[in-house]
Amino acid sequence: MKMVVFKAGDGDSILIQGEQANILVDGGRKTQFKGHVAPVLESLHENGQALDLVCVSHIDDDHITGIVELYRRRTEWAVHHLGTTAEPNFGEPPVIKRLWHNAFDETVADAGGGTDASNISNQLAFHGQLISAMAAMAETEYGQRFGRIAQGARLAIELDLRFKQSSMNIEFNGPSNGALIEVGDDPLVTDVNGIAINILSPFHEDLVRLRASWDKWVNKNQDKIAEMKDKFSQRFGTMDALEFLKFAASQAELGEFDAVQPPNLASITFMLQENGQRILMTGDHASDGKQVPDGEPLKRGVLEGLAHAGLIQQPDGGLHVNVLKVPHHGATANTSVEFARRVTANHYVFCANGRHHNPEVEVIEAYVNSRLSDDDQVRSGNPEAGNRFKLWFNYHPDDEEISSNQNYIDQMTLAKNKVEELAAGDQFDFEFSQQSNFSIDLDADD
């Protein structure tokens, strides 16, 4: 197998190529999709190849935006081939044979409280307007985080509508026969043109909790909006939309969004295997689960998914793969020392451009220490732990793409300095790419 990792802004976009399969996982940001991903996909089409699978790991906008653009382009070319429109002013992407995407309306379907997707999307749109109406709120961590998820939800709905209106004969969520892709009591395994795929998440209970938390958020948000409308009417009498938005934004941060489990926890994660080579795709999921007082998992992470699929033994078994796509852009909240110790790789791939402080140096240290530390509680017990390995980063501190944002530059510089410090003993390799993409040929591991 071969992995092509694209510059994707602060998101992910990765092409996995087997002997007879092309699999695109996420599309990154729209701008980066156009500049970095689309040209490679167009060359696939020119060579007579298709996208055998397109997977949207979850609905955050840094993962789904590029896929919406891909689908738009594929649709316009399909219509052109019917002879009814002029040739589009962009290259033709490959035919898409399969799509995996847990659509927004299905993911947040009624969990018992009466919430539906249109209600949620309306509240998301309204809340987004409130944030936009007050620049100070938009710049807060809350405002930025809400904006990302609100935009992602809107795009997920757009992708779902495009798919339902399409006649391009794309198989949708094949492993679950068109329903939500979710892991139940039995392992979920499928095959895409010779690549065996073990689907590791989301678990059914993850989606149930996500639906319930959305339901709670919407209901609470509706009450607050109604209260604000009453206050506005009493004070101003008439309902001027812009004035109301400014007024509402000045009153409170609506929604108590921290009560909603982020869509990251519903990431579709999976292991791909072909000819003894293994790639672990983790999306933005957590590396391992959290426990609540009664001992039941509050959420199941990648480790629990691997154990459920029979790929790793609990409580302390290890796993070695050719490539590990590091969870959630190298954020500390999504990688534990335990995960780094138990799951080792020949290649560790970090997809991050410095935004949101990713990749974080503590995560880089966790993976390196799992291979080089003298501490038995930190160093992996996997037989391959002593082998040489490589850290890959899809952005460099000197990238022109991030040159206008000093915070991004500073974070990527911090990461690069830490890697160079850790690599001083020449025990591992690393690369901070300045190219549009980089490739990892797994045949070179053999």
Side-chain angles (χ1 to χ4, degrees), residues 156-226:
I157 292 169
E158 179 180 343
L159 179 61
D160 191 38
L161 288 173
R162 284 183 179 274
F163 177 80
K164 288 176 178 176
Q165 294 169 0
S166 170
S167 59
M168 290 191 291
N169 196 31
I170 300 173
E171 178 189 277
F172 180 67
N173 286 359
S176 56
N177 297 315
L180 281 174
I181 290 181
E182 58 182 15
V183 179
D185 294 336
D186 299 320
L188 188 56
V189 184
T190 190
D191 179 277
V192 176
N193 290 21
I195 296 181
I197 302 179
N198 292 81
I199 298 173
L200 310 176
S201 71
F203 284 88
H204 174 73
E205 53 264 40
D206 295 332
L207 296 179
V208 169
R209 292 188 184 98
L210 182 61
R211 294 174 190 136
S213 56
W214 272 119
D215 189 77
K216 180 179 178 182
W217 180 83
V218 170
N219 288 335
K220 191 163 189 176
N221 203 34
Q222 286 176 318
D223 294 341
K224 287 192 175 184
I225 290 173

Side-chain angles (χ1 to χ4, degrees), residues 33-178:
F33 176 85
K34 290 180 175 181
H36 304 304
V37 186
V40 173
L41 298 186
E42 289 162 15
S43 68
L44 287 182
H45 173 75
E46 290 169 2
N47 292 327
Q49 298 184 58
L51 282 172
D52 298 284
L53 170 63
V54 172
C55 174
V56 180
S57 67
H58 63 296
I59 67 169
D60 275 354
D61 58 344
D62 55 327
H63 293 253
I64 195 173
T65 311
I67 299 299
V68 173
E69 176 64 15
L70 166 64
Y71 208 84
R72 181 187 73 82
R73 291 180 174 213
R74 183 63 248 163
T75 301
E76 291 195 22
W77 271 98
V79 172
H80 165 69
H81 288 313
L82 295 175
T84 58
T85 62
E87 181 175 303
N89 60 356
F90 44 80
E92 184 170 4
V95 168
I96 301 169
K97 293 187 175 181
R98 301 171 183 85
L99 174 67
W100 292 359
H101 166 50
N102 280 346
F104 186 71
D105 56 349
E106 296 291 336
T107 303
V108 301
D110 180 23
T115 297
D116 61 31
S118 61
N119 200 359
I120 291 174
S121 62
N122 288 340
Q123 298 301 324
L124 286 168
F126 184 86
H127 199 90
Q129 287 178 303
L130 295 184
I131 291 173
S132 299
M134 178 174 262
M137 185 183 288
E139 292 302 314
T140 65
E141 181 180 354
Y142 169 85
Q144 292 179 13
R145 189 158 59 91
F146 180 88
R148 292 195 304 274
I149 295 180
Q151 171 75 347
R154 184 188 67 78
L155 290 168
I157 292 169
E158 179 180 343
L159 179 61
D160 191 38
L161 288 173
R162 284 183 179 274
F163 177 80
K164 288 176 178 176
Q165 294 169 0
S166 170
S167 59
M168 290 191 291
N169 196 31
I170 300 173
E171 178 189 277
F172 180 67
N173 286 359
S176 56
N177 297 315

Side-chain angles (χ1 to χ4, degrees), residues 91-388:
E92 184 170 4
V95 168
I96 301 169
K97 293 187 175 181
R98 301 171 183 85
L99 174 67
W100 292 359
H101 166 50
N102 280 346
F104 186 71
D105 56 349
E106 296 291 336
T107 303
V108 301
D110 180 23
T115 297
D116 61 31
S118 61
N119 200 359
I120 291 174
S121 62
N122 288 340
Q123 298 301 324
L124 286 168
F126 184 86
H127 199 90
Q129 287 178 303
L130 295 184
I131 291 173
S132 299
M134 178 174 262
M137 185 183 288
E139 292 302 314
T140 65
E141 181 180 354
Y142 169 85
Q144 292 179 13
R145 189 158 59 91
F146 180 88
R148 292 195 304 274
I149 295 180
Q151 171 75 347
R154 184 188 67 78
L155 290 168
I157 292 169
E158 179 180 343
L159 179 61
D160 191 38
L161 288 173
R162 284 183 179 274
F163 177 80
K164 288 176 178 176
Q165 294 169 0
S166 170
S167 59
M168 290 191 291
N169 196 31
I170 300 173
E171 178 189 277
F172 180 67
N173 286 359
S176 56
N177 297 315
L180 281 174
I181 290 181
E182 58 182 15
V183 179
D185 294 336
D186 299 320
L188 188 56
V189 184
T190 190
D191 179 277
V192 176
N193 290 21
I195 296 181
I197 302 179
N198 292 81
I199 298 173
L200 310 176
S201 71
F203 284 88
H204 174 73
E205 53 264 40
D206 295 332
L207 296 179
V208 169
R209 292 188 184 98
L210 182 61
R211 294 174 190 136
S213 56
W214 272 119
D215 189 77
K216 180 179 178 182
W217 180 83
V218 170
N219 288 335
K220 191 163 189 176
N221 203 34
Q222 286 176 318
D223 294 341
K224 287 192 175 184
I225 290 173
E227 180 183 348
M228 287 185 181
K229 286 183 177 179
D230 288 341
K231 288 182 179 179
F232 184 89
S233 297
Q234 292 171 13
R235 183 177 301 186
F236 301 104
T238 59
M239 185 64 71
D240 177 87
L242 180 59
E243 289 301 317
F244 172 68
L245 290 176
K246 291 179 179 178
F247 168 77
S250 71
Q251 296 299 299
E253 289 187 350
L254 294 180
E256 306 212 1
F257 197 67
D258 285 339
V260 178
Q261 296 185 43
N264 298 344
L265 303 186
S267 287
I268 300 173
T269 66
F270 46 91
M271 172 83 81
L272 304 100
Q273 301 185 67
E274 184 183 58
N275 298 331
Q277 299 168 346
R278 299 191 287 194
I279 297 175
L280 180 55
M281 298 296 295
T282 60
D284 280 4
H285 213 330
S287 61
D288 41 2
K290 305 298 181 184
Q291 301 292 318
V292 293
D294 63 2
E296 293 298 319
L298 177 63
K299 63 181 181 185
R300 298 197 198 184
V302 178
L303 279 178
E304 286 76 19
L306 289 168
H308 183 75
L311 296 168
I312 198 168
Q313 297 298 311
Q314 296 285 44
D316 202 41
L319 172 72
H320 187 79
V321 298
N322 294 78
V323 182
L324 167 64
K325 203 291 290 185
V326 172
H328 200 194
H329 319 295
T332 55
N334 298 70
T335 289
S336 67
V337 170
E338 173 75 1
F339 180 79
R341 185 182 68 82
R342 294 179 63 186
V343 180
T344 55
N346 295 345
H347 305 275
Y348 298 86
V349 173
F350 291 79
C351 296
N353 69 348
R355 191 179 186 190
H356 312 307
H357 308 292
N358 294 328
E360 297 190 75
V361 294
E362 294 86 352
V363 175
I364 296 171
E365 288 180 308
Y367 288 112
V368 172
N369 289 339
S370 75
R371 309 297 292 270
L372 304 182
S373 176
D374 294 328
D375 186 345
D376 290 340
Q377 300 300 312
V378 175
R379 182 182 171 92
S380 175
N382 292 347
E384 302 87 353
N387 295 350
R388 199 168 183 87

